[in-house]
Amino acid sequence: MRKTKYSWGTFVGRGSKWEKMAGESARMLPKAVHEERKRQEAKRRGKLKTMAGKLLKAVASGKEAAKEKAGSEDVAGSLLKVPTSRKEAEEEMPAEETICGFIEQGKFLEACDHIYDLEHSGSDGVGKSESLYALLAERMWTVVGEALSGTGGMLLEPLQSVGKSLKWEKQKEVELLGSSQEMESVSTWSPNFWRKDLEEKLIQYMMAQIPPFGSSSNADQTALKQHLSQLETMFLPNLEHRSGFFKEAGLLVAYARCCNASLSSHLSALTASDHFSFSQCLLVYEWGLKMYKSGGEMCLSPGQTPQHSLSLGVPRLVRMILKTEEKLLAVAQEEVGKALKEAFAIGKPPCADAAVIQVLTEKTEAASCVSENLSEKVEAVCLEECLRFLESYENEVRSFLQLDGCPGICRSLRILENCCILRTVWHKLTYICSASTAQDAKVNGFLGRMEDEITEHFLQTVTSKVKGTLKEHFKKCDSSFDHILESLKQSFLAFGKKKADIYEALVKAVNAIIVTEYVQALLTTSRKPSSAQRRRIVSKIEEDHRMLQTIFKECLGPAAGPVKDPIKAILELIQTSDAEGMKIALLPILKEFPGLRKEHLSAVLDIKDALSREDRAALLKAFHDNCRDSEAGTNLLFADIEVTPRKYGLCACLCC
């Protein structure tokens, strides 16, 4: 690589030949650039002049105050003038003035040696050396800044001198630690902080060169792709281009370390944003993985070739990828949890199981396009989030069940439907994902408990509402019984038969509850109604029976098996015209419902219009002759129906 050399006359201001060349160069520069350089040079000269003046005050401390001030200003001014002979100048000038000259000329290593000698020369050398070290560090970082920005028109030697000074510091530190110096004095020695200061300067510059990324949208993948492309085609090649100076100066290791730190810090800041989505994190992860697979070499613009082998550093790239992966998995878990909560919110209509499966699998599928290992990790966190959601959902369901006066029928059925959907989703996921046996058992445990608890609550709610509605059903011309039946029908049809066995069992259980409560209300209505009342009750029974049959057949479908129908049996008994026919109709009732007791039959006969005492007694006798003890496992529908005997009691002839 060809080194371009620049004159240091800019800093020391000597040599007529240089001044002539500088004047010609200045005339070739744009006026604005020329003026800016003049301002920077004047500012630097002023700062050095002030510092040098302060230092030389200590040298002339024995003189009078007025002479000391004048002497300091004269010597400070002379620092900016280089003597004709270096050897003569070093012999004539005080040590501080010599050191300032080295610093101004960019001979930092020589300045280090002289400051160190001054530091150990006497009691007052320590204080002077601290100020000189500070002045030296300030000038070195100025040189580094000019090398980074490409301005200042300087030689490579000053930057090399910075590198040599850092090596000098390391060597001296080892010597001091090996001597009898106290550890505290070594740790507080000013040059010990140079490497840290250099890295801060480099990182500050590099971070300022990173293109801004201002998108706050969690779906703006296009902007992120463009930003990552800018890092590849602009930021990294620019760092590669400037790495040559630092390699020649022996500072490439520090330069590369700062490149790594700045890029890693920027990517960490990107993914740490609350607005970053899973897809965006995946883009950053994929970009980092691509850099890792390429060996960490800087990406160059088209047509460029690597000249300095500046690498991003495999270990740091691995840490960056792992940190991005950690964020990626956290975002995946958060998004899956949020999607599940929205899909199964209590009170909302249930969603389709396909939509839930898509939420859980789309992230795994996207990750598999980048890395199979990453896909397995994403799958694992999605499954774990399902378990966490089910645990929280179970607690939420229990809280719902404990609410006072909650609207139970519709919402309970929706929760039960959600459980059925979740069971279907998990069953399908076990074929798509690698769920463990323990996870499967846990999920089935959660769902089983929820289904049992919500089913019990649902049936209790149906029982309570039907019982309350039927209490005055046969005493009023109109009641809300038909509204409850219609509501149940709509709820069942909306249930959609998501789980056939649960659905059919639930509908049959509700049918049994309604029939039992209906018969209970019918048999406990006021005894010995008038003829008109009996006809109205029979008519109502016929109408209610037709509605019940229609609704439950529609809900269960034609394929469903037959259900016990005591209402139909009661209708057939009381609609039979003669006593002999009623005896015949009574026999299948006794066989189908062995739990029927004498007081039940007596209450049914009270509804029969135009039944004589003789016929009533004959039917009761037929019941007594044909009734048998209930067998275990038989239909005991009437066993739980309590009917109060008539207040005048039963007569010996069994006619009551």
Side-chain angles (χ1 to χ4, degrees):
M1 171 181 169
R2 185 175 62 86
K3 300 177 184 177
T4 305
K5 295 188 177 182
Y6 301 88
S7 173
W8 266 93
T10 303
F11 302 109
V12 298
R14 68 175 181 180
S16 59
K17 183 178 179 180
W18 180 90
E19 290 174 356
K20 182 179 179 181
M21 292 172 63
E24 291 175 357
S25 299
R27 286 192 294 272
M28 294 171 65
L29 291 171
K31 184 176 180 181
V33 175
H34 181 64
E35 292 296 330
E36 178 61 25
R37 286 190 175 181
K38 285 177 66 179
R39 282 195 296 271
Q40 291 179 359
E41 187 62 32
K43 183 177 180 181
R44 185 163 60 248
R45 283 171 177 270
K47 185 181 292 185
L48 288 172
K49 184 175 179 180
T50 301
M51 180 64 75
K54 291 180 179 179
L55 291 169
L56 292 177
K57 283 182 181 180
V59 179
S61 60
K63 298 182 180 181
E64 296 179 358
K67 291 181 180 181
E68 179 183 353
K69 181 177 180 181
S72 298
E73 291 176 351
D74 291 341
V75 176
S78 68
L79 286 174
L80 302 176
K81 299 178 182 179
V82 178
T84 55
S85 170
R86 176 181 175 184
K87 182 177 180 181
E88 178 185 349
E90 291 181 1
E91 290 176 353
E92 294 178 356
M93 290 188 295
E96 292 87 343
E97 189 173 348
T98 302
I99 292 168
C100 288
F102 284 138
I103 293 174
E104 178 63 18
Q105 296 172 52
K107 298 178 180 180
F108 305 129
L109 182 59
E110 289 85 345
C112 286
D113 287 331
H114 282 70
I115 297 173
Y116 188 80
D117 292 340
L118 178 63
E119 184 180 8
H120 295 82
S121 63
S123 59
D124 61 340
V126 176
K128 295 175 184 178
S129 64
E130 287 297 318
S131 299
L132 287 168
Y133 279 137
L135 180 64
L136 172 61
E138 181 181 356
R139 184 69 187 101
M140 285 196 298
W141 308 150
T142 301
V143 169
V144 171
E146 290 173 348
L148 288 169
S149 61
T151 61
M154 65 176 198
L155 290 169
L156 178 61
E157 282 77 4
L159 189 61
Q160 289 176 324
S161 188
V162 172
K164 292 176 182 178
S165 299
L166 292 175
K167 289 181 180 178
W168 173 89
E169 177 274 326
K170 196 69 176 175
Q171 180 182 354
K172 290 298 181 185
E173 182 182 355
V174 173
E175 292 177 3
L176 291 171
L177 290 173
S179 66
S180 59
Q181 293 282 346
E182 293 183 3
M183 183 66 69
E184 183 178 357
S185 63
V186 176
S187 63
T188 57
W189 188 44
S190 294
N192 275 349
F193 302 97
W194 285 354
R195 291 184 181 275
K196 182 180 178 182
D197 293 343
L198 171 63
E199 292 184 0
E200 287 180 355
K201 179 77 174 178
L202 290 172
I203 291 175
Q204 182 182 7
Y205 167 80
M206 293 171 183
M207 293 296 290
Q209 302 306 307
I210 294 177
F213 178 71
S215 175
S216 61
S217 172
N218 60 359
D220 194 355
Q221 296 189 56
T222 303
L224 180 60
K225 287 180 181 178
Q226 183 180 1
H227 180 69
L228 294 175
S229 176
Q230 288 174 338
L231 292 179
E232 281 191 39
T233 59
M234 295 171 58
F235 172 65
L236 295 179
N238 184 49
L239 296 183
E240 165 73 19
H241 175 71
R242 300 199 182 284
S243 65
F245 285 106
F246 290 87
K247 182 180 180 181
E248 294 292 333
L251 296 170
L252 184 62
V253 174
Y255 184 83
R257 184 163 55 245
C258 293
C259 289
N260 295 332
S262 58
L263 182 62
S264 178
S265 176
H266 174 65
L267 294 178
S268 296
L270 274 182
T271 56
S273 170
D274 293 336
H275 301 287
F276 242 52
S277 65
F278 173 83
S279 300
Q280 288 177 311
C281 288
L282 190 60
L283 282 176
V284 175
Y285 180 90
E286 186 177 12
W287 187 85
L289 197 62
K290 181 175 70 173
M291 299 299 295
Y292 170 77
K293 289 180 178 179
S294 66
E297 294 296 326
M298 290 285 189
C299 299
L300 303 177
S301 300
Q304 285 185 301
T305 56
Q307 299 177 2
H308 312 296
S309 301
L310 180 61
S311 172
L312 290 177
V314 171
R316 188 175 287 272
L317 269 175
V318 170
R319 287 195 296 271
M320 182 186 73
I321 291 170
L322 291 177
K323 193 170 183 180
T324 306
E325 180 185 282
E326 183 180 344
K327 172 68 175 182
L328 179 77
L329 297 178
V331 173
Q333 179 180 327
E334 180 183 351
E335 290 185 1
V336 167
K338 183 179 179 181
L340 288 173
K341 287 179 181 177
E342 291 178 354
F344 296 102
I346 293 179
K348 288 179 61 178
C351 63
D353 56 270
V356 180
I357 292 173
Q358 182 180 356
V359 168
L360 295 171
T361 58
E362 63 182 1
K363 301 184 187 309
T364 304
E365 292 171 356
S368 65
C369 298
V370 177
S371 163
E372 189 63 33
N373 182 50
L374 178 66
S375 176
E376 292 174 0
K377 292 180 180 179
V378 171
E379 176 185 292
V381 298
C382 288
L383 292 177
E384 283 299 321
E385 185 57 28
C386 283
L387 292 177
R388 273 189 288 270
F389 168 75
L390 285 174
E391 186 173 2
S392 65
Y393 191 67
E394 184 180 18
N395 294 331
E396 189 178 355
V397 168
R398 285 174 177 166
S399 298
F400 163 77
L401 298 180
Q402 293 170 2
L403 291 176
D404 293 331
C406 61
I409 291 180
C410 182
R411 293 181 69 181
S412 296
L413 206 55
R414 283 182 177 177
I415 295 174
L416 190 59
E417 185 176 357
N418 282 343
C419 291
C420 295
I421 295 172
L422 283 167
R423 191 179 288 278
T424 302
V425 167
W426 181 256
H427 180 71
K428 292 181 179 179
L429 280 178
T430 55
Y431 287 96
I432 301 172
C433 305
S434 302
S436 67
T437 305
Q439 288 176 326
D440 189 54
K442 236 180 178 182
V443 169
N444 288 325
F446 282 134
L447 294 175
R449 286 193 300 272
M450 280 193 286
E451 287 171 350
D452 291 343
E453 290 176 15
I454 201 65
T455 299
E456 181 181 358
H457 177 269
F458 173 73
L459 296 178
Q460 287 176 353
T461 304
V462 170
T463 302
S464 175
K465 288 187 175 294
V466 171
K467 187 186 291 289
T469 302
L470 290 174
K471 191 174 183 180
E472 301 292 330
H473 180 64
F474 295 103
K475 298 178 182 179
K476 296 181 179 179
C477 295
D478 189 20
S479 72
S480 58
F481 181 63
D482 55 338
H483 297 300
I484 288 183
L485 293 179
E486 184 63 26
S487 175
L488 280 169
K489 183 185 82 169
Q490 296 301 327
S491 297
F492 276 128
L493 293 177
F495 190 83
K497 302 181 183 179
K498 295 294 187 304
K499 188 74 173 174
D501 52 346
I502 290 180
Y503 177 81
E504 183 174 336
L506 194 66
V507 173
K508 288 183 176 180
V510 169
N511 177 72
I513 288 172
I514 293 176
V515 168
T516 300
E517 294 300 327
Y518 191 90
V519 174
Q520 173 81 49
L522 175 64
L523 299 185
T524 55
T525 190
S526 59
R527 309 297 293 273
K528 291 295 183 181
S530 65
S531 178
Q533 288 176 328
R534 287 195 293 268
R535 286 193 296 270
R536 182 174 57 79
I537 290 173
V538 173
S539 176
K540 188 181 283 287
I541 295 172
E542 290 177 335
E543 182 182 347
D544 293 340
H545 182 255
R546 281 195 301 269
M547 185 165 54
L548 280 170
Q549 290 292 100
T550 301
I551 288 175
F552 285 103
K553 280 184 179 179
E554 186 175 352
C555 290
L556 289 173
V563 294
K564 300 293 182 179
D565 192 352
I567 300 177
K568 179 182 178 182
I570 291 173
L571 270 176
E572 289 177 351
L573 181 63
I574 61 179
Q575 287 179 336
T576 303
S577 57
D578 60 285
E580 291 300 321
M582 292 181 70
K583 289 180 184 180
I584 297 172
L586 180 62
L587 294 178
I589 295 177
L590 294 176
K591 183 178 180 181
E592 188 172 5
F593 303 102
L596 184 71
R597 299 193 299 273
K598 184 176 181 178
E599 57 266 28
H600 297 143
L601 179 59
S602 181
V604 170
L605 296 179
D606 284 344
I607 305 171
K608 171 68 177 174
D609 192 23
L611 181 66
S612 66
R613 289 179 63 87
E614 291 78 10
D615 291 339
R616 182 185 187 93
L619 285 169
L620 291 173
K621 185 176 184 305
F623 168 81
H624 184 269
D625 294 339
N626 293 279
C627 70
R628 50 193 172 89
D629 294 333
S630 301
E631 298 177 1
T634 57
N635 191 327
L636 301 178
L637 182 144
F638 285 91
D640 296 327
I641 298 177
E642 295 296 332
V643 178
T644 304
R646 293 167 64 178
K647 61 183 180 179
Y648 43 84
L650 296 176
C651 66
C653 64
L654 304 176
C655 63
C656 298

